[in-house]
Amino acid sequence: MKTNGIFASLFSVLFALFMLAPIIVVIGVSFTPTGFLEFPPSGISLRWFREIWDHPDFIAAAWVSLKLAFVSATVATLLSLPAALAIGRGRFPGRDALQSLFLSPLMVPTVVLGIAFLRFLTLVGLNGTFFGLMLCHAIIITPFILRLVLAAVTGLDQSVEKAATSLGASRWTVFRRITFPAILPGVIGGWVLAFITSFDELTVTVFIVNPSTTTLPVRLFSHISQTTDPLVASISAVAIAFTVILMLFVDRLYGLDRLLIGEGKR
Amino acid sequence: MTGQRPWLLSAPALILFAVLLIAPLIMTFLLSFNSFDFYDGIGSDMSLANYREVLGDSYFYEIFGRTFAIALATTVICAIIGVPQAYFLNRMTPFWRSIMVLVTLGPLLISVVVRTLGWAILLGNKGVINTFLTDLGLIERPIRMMYTSGGIVLALVHVMIPFMVLAVWASLQRQDPATETAAESLGAGPFTVFRRVVFPQVIPGVLSGSLIVFSLSASAFATPAILGGRRVKVVATSVYDEFMNTLNWPLGAAIAMLLLLSVMIVMISWNRLVERRYKEVFE
């Protein structure tokens, strides 16, 4: 394979700069000792990181986001796993329709999903509740998990399962001892991707929260809509650090490209 | 696996989707036909009044026009940058490739709100870019980038480009490297090889990437809301205003349904076009 020339390398460097610029700027600004946004910062200070502790609303919102992401990713995984086994293994009428249905939240504009959930939750009296929020998030993140688990299921060699069955293992034992361990990387990859997607979700969530269930992205969004101060930058910097740690973990475990392309290649 | 079992396994997810996705979407569709009164709230009568209001108002034409212009510009720029970047990515050594994959895909996992905040800091009148250019003496007065469509496009390109790079890269990996070697051995220069041999083979990837980028950009909310504010409205932000500020839910629902419809029409006709022209590639 040919390697890249000088033009290609320059292009890639500029591209990397473009991709990283907004992230570097946010992190840089968060260390400013002054009361306004400046980049590069005139000094290094942790003033705005200390300031986070004086804003319990942001900390509460971060906790809601963490809990929400954890619970909805787990619920969506528990629902997607059997569905992925059915779709990946079965040849039954309605299979394609079922798969399209479970992937459809990716097709509908998120703002449409947001108002649909708002309308529904208001009518059934669940608007603004953590439970309602959790169910909506579970729907939005199901496609991400389903794609990864489906890829794991279809990439699995069925002869091992057949061998186990012929040796007298029950269906449950086959699943527990053979199928599940084999698709586990896909399941974990899907769970992490779903967790991050739920943690970052704004457009749907902004319609269906109330002050007590406000998530971190919604809280940041409403703050930024009024004013931008170094406080949002320091909170964002903490969120970036959290994401980077999670990302490096996933990259080691599963491969970032595989996770985001959603195919069981390699 | 046949018979009842697949349905039994899918039942939990199916029930959730039927109750919390299908039903709400139908209810929102019906809501878009209801009337609204500032004092009495949402009426139960059905009419096309909301659609007449949207389609008969040049204000909404401007918003829809701007939304699709922004989405189109974002798509074209993503293709122009994403295609060469995917090509270079494919030719990198494994070490540099894994770093560039992290750089390209990593931002996808960082909240759009955070990334847009970064662009707001960069693009402001006293922002990083304007200060830098003024200090260099290149400009006298700051260039206005916040609250413009151009600023929104720039930030959207940043959000969407990973999808384009991924799509093009996937089609590059399917291509046989021998075709490039053959062209080179016949005397073609690097640019000719790219233009005549590589590019035609990645067109399906560009087209599927474009579809993702276009539909996501057309319905993007956070980026235009933060960088456009109240001055540069797009469809998604005007739906938000109708629902959360004006509280005219039926009108907001009608705008949202028109967005859904127009995105669907673009997607379906795009797919038709791609399938007809590149049928052999996908088989």
Side-chain angles (χ1 to χ4, degrees):
Chain A
M1 181 155 320
K2 296 261 299 178
T3 47
N4 288 315
I6 181 83
F7 172 73
S9 305
L10 194 69
F11 188 94
S12 296
V13 168
L14 287 176
F15 180 78
L17 193 67
F18 171 71
M19 291 312 289
L20 296 178
I23 297 158
I24 292 170
V25 161
V26 168
I27 295 172
V29 163
S30 67
F31 286 104
T32 184
T34 61
F36 49 90
L37 298 165
E38 53 161 14
F39 187 89
S42 53
I44 300 266
S45 145
L46 294 178
R47 172 185 169 189
W48 291 103
F49 289 93
R50 273 198 303 275
E51 196 88 359
I52 298 176
W53 296 109
D54 299 331
H55 288 82
D57 52 330
F58 277 103
I59 296 171
W63 275 118
V64 172
S65 283
L66 281 175
K67 270 192 288 186
L68 180 63
F70 189 87
V71 178
S72 58
T74 308
V75 167
T77 306
L78 291 176
L79 295 179
S80 304
L81 191 57
L85 284 171
I87 293 168
R89 286 291 162 75
R91 296 284 171 273
F92 55 96
R95 176 176 168 271
D96 291 347
L98 208 55
Q99 183 174 352
S100 315
L101 173 68
F102 292 147
L103 295 179
S104 65
L106 291 178
M107 300 293 164
V108 183
T110 37
V111 64
V112 176
L113 288 178
I115 63 168
F117 290 149
L118 171 63
R119 174 72 171 150
F120 182 81
L121 292 179
T122 311
L123 286 180
V124 298
L126 280 174
N127 192 31
T129 61
F130 184 83
F131 182 67
L133 207 55
M134 186 276 289
L135 290 179
C136 295
H137 271 228
I139 287 191
I140 306 166
I141 60 186
T142 290
F144 296 95
I145 305 172
L146 192 78
R147 277 202 314 204
L148 291 191
V149 181
L150 256 182
V153 170
T154 46
L156 189 63
D157 185 4
Q158 288 195 43
S159 56
V160 190
E161 294 177 347
K162 283 184 187 136
T165 312
S166 74
L167 290 168
S170 69
R171 247 181 199 169
W172 172 242
T173 310
V174 172
F175 174 75
R176 194 169 51 88
R177 302 284 297 274
I178 295 169
T179 317
F180 187 68
I183 61 173
L184 191 60
V187 176
I188 295 176
W191 187 91
V192 175
L193 186 60
F195 179 92
I196 295 173
T197 310
S198 164
F199 189 80
D200 289 345
E201 215 296 321
L202 173 76
T203 315
V204 170
T205 318
V206 81
F207 285 97
I208 52 174
V209 291
N210 71 11
S212 71
T213 49
T214 293
T215 62
L216 188 60
V218 174
R219 187 70 196 84
L220 277 175
F221 173 75
S222 52
H223 194 91
I224 295 170
S225 308
Q226 289 150 22
T227 170
T228 47
D229 53 25
L231 177 68
V232 284
S234 63
I235 293 168
S236 300
V238 175
I240 292 171
F242 175 71
T243 310
V244 167
I245 293 168
L246 212 56
M247 191 169 82
L248 292 175
F249 167 72
V250 182
D251 196 37
R252 274 289 149 81
L253 178 84
Y254 196 77
L256 204 56
D257 48 337
R258 261 175 81 198
L259 185 74
L260 291 165
I261 298 173
E263 286 166 19
K265 286 197 295 188
R266 283 188 208 165
Chain B
M1 210 184 282
T2 45
Q4 301 292 311
R5 247 169 74 78
W7 292 102
L8 223 58
L9 287 169
S10 315
L14 193 56
I15 292 166
L16 180 72
F17 271 65
V19 175
L20 241 109
L21 183 68
I22 307 293
L25 284 173
I26 293 171
M27 283 158 64
T28 310
F29 179 65
L30 295 176
L31 176 69
S32 69
F33 297 104
N34 287 156
S35 65
F36 175 77
D37 184 88
F38 193 73
Y39 296 103
D40 301 334
I42 300 164
S44 55
D45 50 324
M46 307 283 279
S47 76
L48 286 169
N50 296 315
Y51 289 96
R52 264 201 296 275
E53 186 176 342
V54 177
L55 295 173
D57 193 339
S58 64
Y59 170 75
F60 286 111
Y61 277 102
E62 194 188 320
I63 287 179
F64 270 88
R66 177 186 298 130
T67 305
F68 286 107
I70 286 175
L72 190 65
T74 306
T75 311
V76 171
I77 297 174
C78 277
I80 292 172
I81 302 175
V83 172
Q85 185 52 41
Y87 179 61
F88 299 148
L89 190 69
N90 201 37
R91 291 159 58 113
M92 280 174 189
T93 56
F95 172 74
W96 283 110
R97 185 175 341 158
S98 62
I99 287 181
M100 277 310 280
V101 166
L102 270 181
V103 168
T104 312
L105 303 187
L108 272 184
L109 300 178
I110 292 171
S111 165
V112 179
V113 181
V114 171
R115 283 183 277 163
T116 308
L117 170 69
W119 283 110
I121 298 170
L122 283 165
L123 300 178
N125 275 353
K126 288 177 181 164
V128 178
I129 295 175
N130 272 321
T131 312
F132 181 70
L133 291 177
T134 318
D135 288 352
L136 281 181
L138 287 174
I139 52 170
E140 305 240 317
R141 239 171 288 125
I143 309 167
R144 218 172 65 106
M145 288 178 286
M146 275 294 278
Y147 311 115
T148 62
S149 297
I152 296 174
V153 169
L154 186 61
L156 275 180
V157 167
H158 182 261
V159 176
M160 302 299 167
I161 194 121
F163 298 107
M164 182 66 85
V165 174
L166 275 180
V168 178
W169 190 29
S171 66
L172 274 171
Q173 284 173 328
R174 279 197 293 270
Q175 139 187 325
D176 186 355
T179 53
E180 278 181 66
T181 321
E184 269 161 28
S185 72
L186 292 168
F191 183 69
T192 314
V193 172
F194 180 77
R195 192 171 55 89
R196 302 280 301 271
V197 178
V198 179
F199 187 67
Q201 296 190 74
V202 299
I203 287 180
V206 179
L207 293 176
S208 67
S210 300
L211 187 57
I212 301 170
V213 171
F214 184 86
S215 57
L216 288 179
S217 307
S219 50
F221 171 74
T223 305
I226 294 171
L227 296 180
R230 295 194 177 281
R231 273 179 266 181
V232 188
K233 272 206 205 175
V234 295
V235 178
T237 53
S238 67
V239 170
Y240 178 80
D241 280 346
E242 291 299 338
F243 265 83
M244 307 311 265
N245 298 330
T246 325
L247 299 182
N248 188 345
W249 287 17
L251 184 65
I255 303 170
M257 285 301 133
L258 288 172
L259 175 69
L260 180 65
L261 187 72
S262 38
V263 170
M264 289 285 184
I265 290 173
V266 171
M267 284 174 99
I268 290 167
S269 38
W270 191 255
N271 267 334
R272 280 261 177 88
L273 179 94
V274 170
E275 270 169 21
R276 207 181 317 138
R277 285 211 58 185
Y278 296 96
K279 211 175 164 200
E280 67 278 13
V281 186
F282 288 110
E283 273 168 358

